[in-house]
Amino acid sequence: MAKRSRSGRPEMIHCPYCGEDYSSTYKHCPFCDEVEQPVVEEGLEELDAPRPRGGKRLTTNTRGGGYGGGPSPLRIIGTVVSLGLIIAAVIIVITLIMPLVSRGNVDGPGAASIPPVEEGSPAPGETAPAGETTPAGETTPAGETTPPATESPAGETIPADQTATGFTLSQSEFSFSDTWPNPITISVTFIPAGSTGTITWSSSDPDVASVDENGVVSHGTVRGTATITATMAGGVTQTCLVYNQVTSGTSSSSGGSSGATSSGTLSLNHTDFTFSALDNPSVQMRVNGTSSTPTWSIGNSAVATISADGVVRPAGSGTTTITCTVDGQTLTCIVRCTF
């Protein structure tokens, strides 16, 4: 007999197997059975036929502590995406680490090869033992390394103690005059700084100006222009122009005293002057001791210019020389532009 409440509604029974609540009109839980049972009316006999256990709701029920079903499509997709992200991360890590590992492999492709050291010869930067003969044929004392002498492209042998690759001179041109007849020393600055070298000095005309082995220049007995040349082993050279305008005890290099005018009677009103700005007033050059018309010329017109009548004007920074030719003699004057 089915149970009914006082209000006429059937009571609800909680299934101990699947956790579902079902009406008391069912003899067994319809959620656990495959076949739904008919409602048993009062006064009717129960069906005696056995019913199969475990319906569809048993395998899919998740309510009230029931049994869960199979994986859902969303869960499968999430799993696949997670696996894809893990694989991508592994590939990225391998891509970044492998180049770093290959750099540390000195035996791998691209590794710099170390040239073998010949037996019996010191390694690069190593001091040769005392008494050992170097490739240059020189025997080295204890603790000293002697560099071999090399040969320049011009065939000149460069001393072993020369480390300079170039040099500069302290003077590019200067004049001797009655006011400044004293010897002048041309100093040498080697390149790079602190290096050493050997300099050989020579003069194009020792009668005008001579030079010794230390670069000391002295005026000669003939007035005129001479070129002092400094040569370093290896073929590097520098030059300096020297003008001898000393009139006492000298003669002209353009003909000496043979001529209409004595060598001691001609002179310029300027022998050395300076322009400090481009707008400085021009300078008028004149020759003292003759009424002849001189011929004027200038060494570098980018520094200063001179007209046919001897007017000098500044043009640019630097030093140059004015040359005057008159009565068979040559007179010079230095012009400096310091702006």
Side-chain angles (χ1 to χ4, degrees), residues 191-281:
I191 301 172
S195 57
T196 60
T198 302
I199 301 295
T200 302
W201 298 91
S202 63
S203 173
S204 63
D205 192 347
D207 292 335
V208 175
S210 60
V211 61
D212 65 9
E213 67 276 7
N214 297 317
V216 180
V217 183
S218 304
H219 68 82
T221 59
V222 177
R223 293 169 55 193
T225 304
T227 300
I228 303 299
T229 302
T231 304
M232 186 176 70
V236 181
T237 62
Q238 297 289 343
T239 60
C240 175
L241 291 178
V242 179
Y243 307 99
N244 182 14
Q245 299 177 354
V246 179
T247 60
S248 177
T250 63
S251 60
S252 171
S253 61
S254 299
S257 58
S258 58
T261 306
S262 172
S263 61
T265 60
L266 299 183
S267 64
L268 295 177
N269 61 332
H270 296 286
T271 58
D272 192 331
F273 63 91
T274 300
F275 289 112
S276 60
L278 187 61
D279 58 353
N280 282 172

Side-chain angles (χ1 to χ4, degrees), residues 129-141:
E132 182 175 340
T133 302
T134 63
E138 299 178 3
T139 301
T140 59

Side-chain angles (χ1 to χ4, degrees), residues 149-196:
T150 58
E151 187 172 336
S152 67
E156 182 179 353
T157 300
I158 300 176
D161 59 347
Q162 177 171 303
T163 59
T165 58
F167 67 97
T168 58
L169 300 179
S170 60
Q171 302 278 354
S172 59
E173 60 180 341
F174 60 88
S175 297
F176 289 114
S177 64
D178 293 336
T179 305
W180 302 100
N182 298 325
I184 295 177
T185 300
I186 303 176
S187 59
V188 176
T189 300
F190 289 105
I191 301 172
S195 57
T196 60

Side-chain angles (χ1 to χ4, degrees), residues 277-318:
L278 187 61
D279 58 353
N280 282 172
S282 60
V283 175
Q284 176 66 59
M285 296 295 297
R286 289 187 297 271
V287 181
N288 300 322
T290 182
S291 59
S292 302
T293 302
T295 300
W296 302 96
S297 63
I298 196 161
N300 188 353
S301 59
V303 176
T305 60
I306 187 168
S307 63
D309 55 355
V311 177
V312 184
R313 294 180 176 84
S317 179

Side-chain angles (χ1 to χ4, degrees), residues 40-129:
V40 179
E41 300 291 341
E42 292 184 3
L44 296 180
E45 297 182 356
E46 298 179 356
L47 296 176
D48 296 329
R51 296 175 301 171
R53 306 292 294 175
K56 294 182 179 179
R57 295 294 297 271
L58 178 63
T59 60
T60 59
N61 177 47
T62 58
R63 295 172 50 192
Y67 300 96
S72 65
L74 291 178
R75 185 173 181 181
I76 295 175
I77 294 174
T79 303
V80 173
V81 172
S82 300
L83 291 176
L85 292 176
I86 293 174
I87 295 173
V90 172
I91 295 175
I92 292 174
V93 171
I94 294 176
T95 304
L96 295 176
I97 292 178
M98 287 304 294
L100 299 178
V101 175
S102 62
R103 289 180 186 175
N105 185 10
V106 296
D107 296 330
S113 59
I114 302 175
V117 178
E118 295 183 3
E119 185 177 358
S121 62
E126 183 178 344
T127 303

